[in-house]
Amino acid sequence: MRLHRLELTAFGPFSGTQSVDFGTLSAAGLFLLHGPTGAGKTSVLDAVCYALYGSVPGARQSGQGTTLRSDHAAPGTRTSVTLELTVAGRRLEITRQPPWERPKRRGTGTTLDKAQTWLREYDATAGAWKDLSRSHQEIGEEVTQLLGMSREQFCQVVLLPQGDFARFLRADAEARGRLLGRLFDTHRFAEVEKRLAERRRATEAGVRDADAALLADAHRMQQAADGAMDLPELAPGDPGLADAVLSAAAVARSTAREQSTVARCGLAAAESTQSAAGRDLDDVREVDRLQRRFAQARERARLLDERADGHLADRRRMERARKAEAVAPALELRESADAEHRRAAAAETQALAALPDGLAEAGAAGLAAAARRTAEELGGLESARRAEQRLAALGTERAGLDRQDRADEDVLRDAATWLTDWETIRTALRARIETAQEDASLAEQLAAQRDPVRQRLTAARARDRLTGETEGAHGRALASAERALRARTHWLDLKEQRLDGIAAELAANLKDGESCAVCGAVEHPHPARKVAGHVDRATEERALAAHQRAEEEHAEDERRLGRVREELAAATAEAAGTPTGRLVEQAEELERQHTRARRDASDLHDAREALRRAELEHERRTADRQQAELRVASRLARREALERERTDLEAELAQARGSSGSVAARAAQLERRVALLTEAADAVRVAEDTATRLKDADARLADAAFRAGFDTPRDAAAALLDDHAHRELQRRLDAWQTEEAAVRAVLADDDTAAAAERPPADLAAAERRSATASQRVREAASRCDAAARRCAELDRLSARAAEGVRRMGPLREEYERAARLAGLAAGTSADNERRMRLESYVLAARLEQVAAAATVRLQRMSSGRYTLVHSDDRSGRGRSGLGLHVVDAWTGRERDTATLSGGETFFASLALALGLADVVTDEAGGVRLDTLFIDEGFGSLDDETLDEVLDVLDSLRERDRSVGIVSHVADLRRRIHARLEVVKGRTGSTLRQRD
């Protein structure tokens, strides 16, 4: 990579446009970049880095690049950096512009322009530049691919910061590891260590979880074994836990099976004892039953003897009842005849009392003859009765015709009235429809006029509101602009005060024996002193932060003012300058007219429906009038026919009624008389018949009682039993015979008699013995079941534990393998004798290459005295791998690089930086670096050593390289003729190039 030209505008301390011709400076091989402290020497290197990568090194990069802009630049000048270089045989031009907060072209305030980037390539054939890309991402990827280095690697290889490498020489292994890791991108090896550690932790957690589950099963087995199992005193993850748990489970299963065998033997013995006790209990119960049976039979026999007289009386009574049963039919016949005769006599008396005088003594035959004569007279009135009923029906029919006439008259009258107004109604409805149609058209026209007026009214109201908001936003913008200006002035004053006293601030950090950051000297005879009112860095940074906050607030107020003004302009244009009040009146008037038109137009459907209903009503009423006229004509003929029939029927009825009011009344009188005569004749005949039957029943009863052995029919009736009394008496007799037979059978039984002669049976003692035996059987069965369940539970848990151990076997193997690899990579394993981490091991190889490359130049700078060597020895209890020693050829001893003096440290760090540049270049793919920059440190060298260092740097030209030295040491100006001077001023810095 070779730099040709750098052009920067409003960048860092440079307010205007400055240009650097690296082609002319590189022609001499060495060139000097010098200037006073704070002038902007480092800013030139920052511009190169920014052009390539879009950012500057380290802490100088802030935000999105807005802090790169020069505070001295004019508001209308945009920050820009252009770098022309050759890399990989291609001549490129890169231009970058960071985000820029510029003044607005119209109005007040500022607006933020986005960052821009251009990449162009020179076409030698065409002799012109051609555009390649304007994409930040594409350009960044292209530059990184061509250079083969990240920004951090570029800053260490091309922009050699000597202070960083001096600290690298004195740093411990951890600090060296961090720097080398950034340069050689070894984070992937650290990632491998992390992944191995995570895998070890993951597998360890899996093993611990499996061991925890195994211990949980072991505790369950201990509970199932009822404490007869000893658990191993091991924690989850301890070696040998699985084997110990499985061994303890096997012992517990064996013990449980022995206990189960003992329990089964005990159960068999208890069941045998229970069987014997049960048989003994059955025998005692049988003897007790027979003894109680014999005693009960003796007691029942005694009770039978006591009731013997009553049993004899019951037998006699049963014999008389059986004899009386032969007389019972005659008794029932006599009672039935007597009751029937009494009823007939009562009916006869009642029927004769209802007859007129003179007929009560006529007898049954006379009464029957009178009833026949009256019935014949009643039959003659049947025709007159039908005529009377027809006359009544004629009256009802005439009344119905009259009602129909009145209804039809109402129909005709209503139809005539309604049809008279039909033309007027139809005309009015058609006019109503036409009016509603006109109102609908008017509503559509008003709706089309209303929407634009509404939009203009909304815009006018927004215009009125935004007018007030614009005034408020303008006031806030002016206030924030004034505050930002005051904050900027205050910050610049403080910055100038700090720059005036910067020597005292730098002198406060000087220590005897350490080199000055400005001149490199190790002796400080007259350090500057702080004066009263000295402004330190913290005060300046607070003023800068306040200035930046004020600028941000002002920018936000300007953006807000711009948005409000844009909205106000849009609202004003849409409102067309019409006052809001007038638009409100127009909108309200249009809304009222539209509402009224819509209300009137809504009557269109109702009007059409009303017309349709009116036409249907006209058709219906016309039809009703025609039908009513037809009905009236037909009823007139019917009424004349009814009148003729009524006259004929009235003449017939007058002859049939006689003295009665009507034929029906005469017929009813005759019907009642026929009924009374017939009823009385029947009652007289029935009374005579029942008297005859009663006399025959008395004779039969007397004959039956005599044949049955009774003196009178009354004695036979007394001996007769009803069904309930007969059943009760028979039950007592049967019960006596059954009880007597049962008592005799019991007393005659041999077993019962033998048991009665034996001593009384002790049933309670036998039951106690049987209950005790049963309890022992239950207890033995419970122990046996518990032992069986214990065996089954232990077998189940043991099988699950064994399955878990088998299933977790691969995980345990993986854990052991991951633990060994993680310990080896982390340097904590006993197999890693030097306790070197994997990343440290890789970095140690890189450091060894860097030390070898640096030694080539260090020997020349030190006249062959010093050699840098890599050491992997451990320091104290720390880890080894990144040690760096220097071998002194004068003493032959190897010592730590921290023991070098200030000047020795400089050229050792310079050699290390150059060696690192070579190694990193090779690591990045061998991209040739034709331009290098070395920053500070030359003030710590004596004249002889400075000449040797410059000779080494000058030798780089043999490889067609150019080296730029960044320093303010005055002696270098004599030795190096090609110079780029940075001149500091109150309006910003400028560049002055001398070839």
Side-chain angles (χ1 to χ4, degrees), residues 283-296 752 755 761:
D283 294 342
V284 173
R285 284 176 174 169
E286 182 62 19
V287 172
D288 179 69
R289 185 185 67 80
L290 293 175
Q291 289 179 348
R292 286 187 287 102
R293 182 184 182 195
F294 184 80
Q296 291 173 359
T752 303

Side-chain angles (χ1 to χ4, degrees), residues 931-953:
T931 305
L932 298 177
F933 294 90
I934 301 175
D935 191 2
E936 291 298 351
F938 293 89
S940 61
L941 304 178
D942 55 27
D943 292 341
E944 182 180 354
T945 305
L946 181 60
D947 289 339
E948 293 176 350
V949 170
L950 291 178
D951 290 341
V952 172
L953 295 178

